[in-house]
Amino acid sequence: VGWEFRNNSWQWFGGSENVDLRFGYYSSKAKSIDDIAYNAPYYTMVRSAGNDRNDFGNGSRPPDGPYDCLGPEAVTKNTLVVGAITGFANYAGPESAVMSQFSSWGPTDDGRIKPDIVADGVGVFSTSSSADDGYTILDGTSMSAPNVTGSLAVLQSYYKSKSDTFLTSAALKALVIHTAREAGVEKGPDYIHGWGI
C-alpha cells in the first residue's frame, strides 16, 4: 500500500490522490487473519508492523507516514504486531528505545494501539539467499518480528516444561504486553512503540 520502490523508482499504489485509505483500515483481509487466530487459540501469530513510515512520495503526493501507515495485516486484533527499534546492549530506561527510521506507526482507524510492541530490527544478522550458507545484515520489521517470535518460542517451551501445557495465544500476548519495558518520551502505550520493548 502507499509508496513502493519498484523498477528502480518510487511508485504510488494508493487508493486516492493524496493518501492510501487502506492504511489503518480494518479490512476483510484483517478479519480473515483474526478469524484464523480465533479458531486456533494456541497459534500465536506475530506480524511485522511494516516499513512505510519513511516512504517519501514524489513531490505531488505526500509521504506515507509518519502516523497511520499500518497496512491491513498490521491492524489485526488477535495477532501480536511488532515494530522496529535500533538495538542496544542494556536497557537504561525509555530512552533506550531509539525508533528506526522506517517502522510503521499507528493508530488504527478505529483508535487501537498498534504496533503492540517493538524489538530490535536494525542491523540484525540474518540468513541470505546469496548461498545455501549465506548470511547478511538486514533492517526491517521483518527482522524485529522474528526476534520476538524466537523469544516467544523459548517462553512457551519453558512454560510447557513446568505445566505440561502451552499458554494460549491470548495469554501469551497479554504476558508480552504487560511485561514490556517502557519506551518513548511519554509514559504508557503509544502509537509509536505500542506497550514497549
Side-chain angles (χ1 to χ4, degrees):
V1 294
W3 289 101
E4 293 184 19
F5 194 75
R6 292 187 185 177
N7 301 322
N8 296 319
S9 68
W10 284 96
Q11 298 177 26
W12 177 255
F13 291 91
S16 75
E17 288 296 315
N18 295 317
V19 65
D20 191 325
L21 300 177
R22 294 174 294 171
F23 283 130
Y25 176 67
Y26 189 80
S27 66
S28 59
K29 186 175 197 176
K31 184 186 180 314
S32 295
I33 294 168
D34 277 336
D35 287 345
I36 293 168
Y38 178 80
N39 290 311
Y42 288 90
Y43 178 41
T44 304
M45 287 191 244
V46 179
R47 312 274 321 178
S48 299
N51 305 318
D52 287 307
R53 196 177 86 253
N54 67 342
D55 292 349
F56 53 82
N58 69 352
S60 66
R61 291 190 176 95
D64 289 338
Y67 290 95
D68 188 22
C69 55
L70 295 165
E73 297 87 353
V75 299
T76 53
K77 298 174 183 177
N78 298 325
T79 64
L80 188 67
V81 177
V82 183
I85 59 170
T86 62
F88 53 84
N90 295 304
Y91 180 79
E95 65 279 357
S96 299
V98 177
M99 181 52 63
S100 69
Q101 295 179 351
F102 51 81
S103 188
S104 293
W105 294 350
T108 64
D109 288 353
D110 57 10
R112 286 177 291 115
I113 297 286
K114 288 290 176 176
D116 296 304
I117 197 159
V118 292
D120 185 8
V122 176
V124 177
F125 186 68
S126 184
T127 56
S128 168
S129 61
S130 64
D132 289 344
D133 59 351
Y135 291 91
T136 190
I137 304 293
L138 296 171
D139 298 341
T141 58
S142 292
M143 294 291 99
S144 57
N147 173 349
V148 169
T149 303
S151 299
L152 296 181
V154 171
L155 183 58
Q156 282 283 38
S157 178
Y158 177 76
Y159 187 81
K160 173 89 162 100
S161 74
K162 296 296 182 185
S163 64
D164 201 30
T165 189
F166 290 105
L167 290 164
T168 64
S169 177
L172 188 56
K173 182 178 176 182
L175 182 62
V176 169
I177 287 172
H178 290 290
T179 59
R181 291 188 168 187
E182 183 65 44
V185 178
E186 302 297 328
K187 290 190 179 243
D190 59 52
Y191 300 130
I192 298 170
H193 305 94
W195 275 263
I197 303 168

